[in-house]
Amino acid sequence: MLEEVERWLDRRSWSVADRPLERILAAKRNTKVSVVLPALNEEATVGDIVAVIRRELMSEAVPLVDELVVIDSGSTDRTAEVAAAAGARVVARDAILPRMPAVPGKGEVLWRSLMVTTGDIVCFIDADLRDFSADFVSGIVGPLLTDPDVDFVKAMYDRPFGDTPGQGGRVTELVARPLLNLHWPQLAGFVQPLGGEYAARRSLLERLPFPVGYGVELGLLVDALHTVGLDALAQVDVGVRKHRHQDGLALGRMAAAIYRTAQLRLSRGHLVRPRLTQFERGEKGFEPRTYAVDTEERPPMAEIVEYARRRVA
């Protein structure tokens, strides 16, 4: 590991216990905090997450979060209804920037969320978490409120796979971590580089391009490094993350999108064939299934006319 990274781990790697809520609230002053949950068919978990944030971080006693928004990206279940009943403001993805047709993908939702939130700090939380703790929010928002030199904070945690501790994050270990260590060794200290829980200053997010799909976490991390430098990045240990695990084929598609995101940043080149073929056993043996690899990216939000007009207004 680079000496620079070892120093960074000492200076910019914390535990949620390092910043009690009282200290965070005292530092908040007039800073506005928005929490965004991107959601697609998450009726089983989104309500509990919203309820915890409302109860523990949006009360008169603990007014840490000013705005809680669920962006529904086309759910066919009761995600929107459950989220609204729990106290979130629910916005449909396709209602945001209607002149630009939406494409499928988590990054698309996160990018569009900047148009419908107003916080100086924006905190992203995945909507499929189980046994959710408010520490996931306060932990990663805390450094941004208490340290003006920090611009981007990722959560780190243990990711059990079923009953086995520490075995989650297969794409991280097989794809993202090798890519980062080989090509962006300054980022080798991040425990969960692909984690979906992170917070950043709006002034940074609006300057970054957003990969529309699974590559969004790696893309934002790499681009944040190049934009503000390693010392402006940090991570906070928030404990244990429990969520729904995807099957191996879905992970393969995720890995391809992440590799594409890395390749684009390494060379800004093009793929000969932006497709991934996988195999599933069917009635006649192994049958090929071919999927498009996410290659589209949204430009920095600061370049969008509607966003500029909103800021002027």
Side-chain angles (χ1 to χ4, degrees):
M1 184 175 290
L2 298 175
E3 290 185 9
E4 178 184 7
V5 177
E6 292 181 352
R7 293 193 298 270
W8 176 83
L9 283 169
D10 287 336
R11 298 187 64 250
R12 292 288 187 251
S13 191
W14 297 295
S15 165
V16 66
D18 292 334
R19 289 177 177 79
L21 268 175
E22 295 79 7
R23 178 186 171 193
I24 296 172
L25 289 170
K28 185 175 185 288
R29 300 185 180 90
N30 295 321
T31 304
K32 188 171 183 178
V33 176
S34 298
V35 175
V36 172
L37 276 68
L40 176 62
N41 294 330
E42 301 293 357
E43 67 173 328
T45 51
V46 68
D48 289 340
I49 297 171
V50 169
V52 169
I53 295 173
R54 292 280 306 181
R55 182 177 65 249
E56 300 187 24
L57 300 178
M58 299 182 74
S59 67
E60 185 175 341
V62 186
L64 180 63
V65 173
D66 301 283
E67 186 175 44
L68 176 55
V69 182
V70 170
I71 309 293
D72 182 15
S73 55
S75 297
T76 56
D77 65 1
R78 298 175 59 251
T79 290
E81 180 183 341
V82 170
R89 177 162 65 96
V90 179
V91 182
R93 175 200 62 193
D94 295 352
I96 308 170
L97 282 173
R99 74 171 176 87
M100 301 178 67
V103 297
K106 177 184 178 182
E108 176 83 354
V109 176
L110 300 184
W111 181 73
R112 288 174 185 263
S113 76
L114 297 181
M115 275 295 304
V116 293
T117 56
T118 57
D120 307 292
I121 293 170
V122 182
C123 173
F124 298 123
I125 301 291
D126 280 350
D128 66 343
L129 302 188
R130 295 184 288 108
D131 300 332
F132 179 75
S133 167
D135 287 349
F136 274 73
V137 174
S138 60
I140 56 179
V141 167
L144 294 164
L145 292 172
T146 61
D147 192 333
D149 295 326
V150 173
D151 289 327
F152 187 99
V153 183
K154 295 214 67 151
M156 57 177 168
Y157 32 67
D158 180 49
R159 294 182 66 183
F161 185 67
D163 295 327
T164 306
Q167 294 300 309
R170 290 161 288 172
V171 176
T172 292
E173 300 304 331
L174 295 175
V175 181
R177 201 175 308 284
L179 282 171
L180 293 177
N181 276 263
L182 292 171
H183 298 295
W184 295 281
Q186 287 178 298
L187 298 175
F190 276 93
V191 176
Q192 297 291 352
L194 299 185
E197 291 69 45
Y198 47 101
R201 300 190 191 281
R202 176 178 295 270
S203 57
L204 171 61
L205 291 173
E206 65 187 12
R207 295 158 61 194
L208 302 180
F210 277 61
V212 299
Y214 286 128
V216 63
E217 272 81 32
L218 184 134
L220 290 178
L221 188 59
V222 169
D223 291 342
L225 172 69
H226 291 310
T227 303
V228 295
L230 180 61
D231 201 51
L233 314 183
Q235 62 183 349
V236 175
D237 187 348
V238 296
V240 179
R241 183 186 198 267
K242 297 180 181 179
H243 66 114
R244 182 186 66 253
H245 291 280
Q246 301 194 57
D247 62 34
L249 293 175
L251 294 180
R253 298 190 289 275
M254 183 185 298
I258 289 165
Y259 177 80
R260 165 58 176 172
T261 300
Q263 185 214 35
L264 191 63
R265 277 150 182 78
L266 287 168
S267 64
R268 293 294 165 181
H270 66 279
L271 287 178
V272 174
R273 182 176 180 271
R275 300 286 187 273
L276 174 71
T277 298
Q278 298 176 313
F279 294 87
E280 301 177 28
R281 185 181 290 279
E283 294 180 1
K284 299 180 180 180
F286 286 102
E287 300 175 357
R289 300 283 188 272
T290 299
Y291 302 88
V293 174
D294 295 324
T295 59
E296 188 170 352
E297 298 199 0
R298 293 303 192 184
M301 187 57 79
E303 298 177 6
I304 300 300
V305 173
E306 291 91 336
Y307 186 78
R309 289 173 180 163
R310 191 197 73 168
R311 298 197 69 181
V312 170

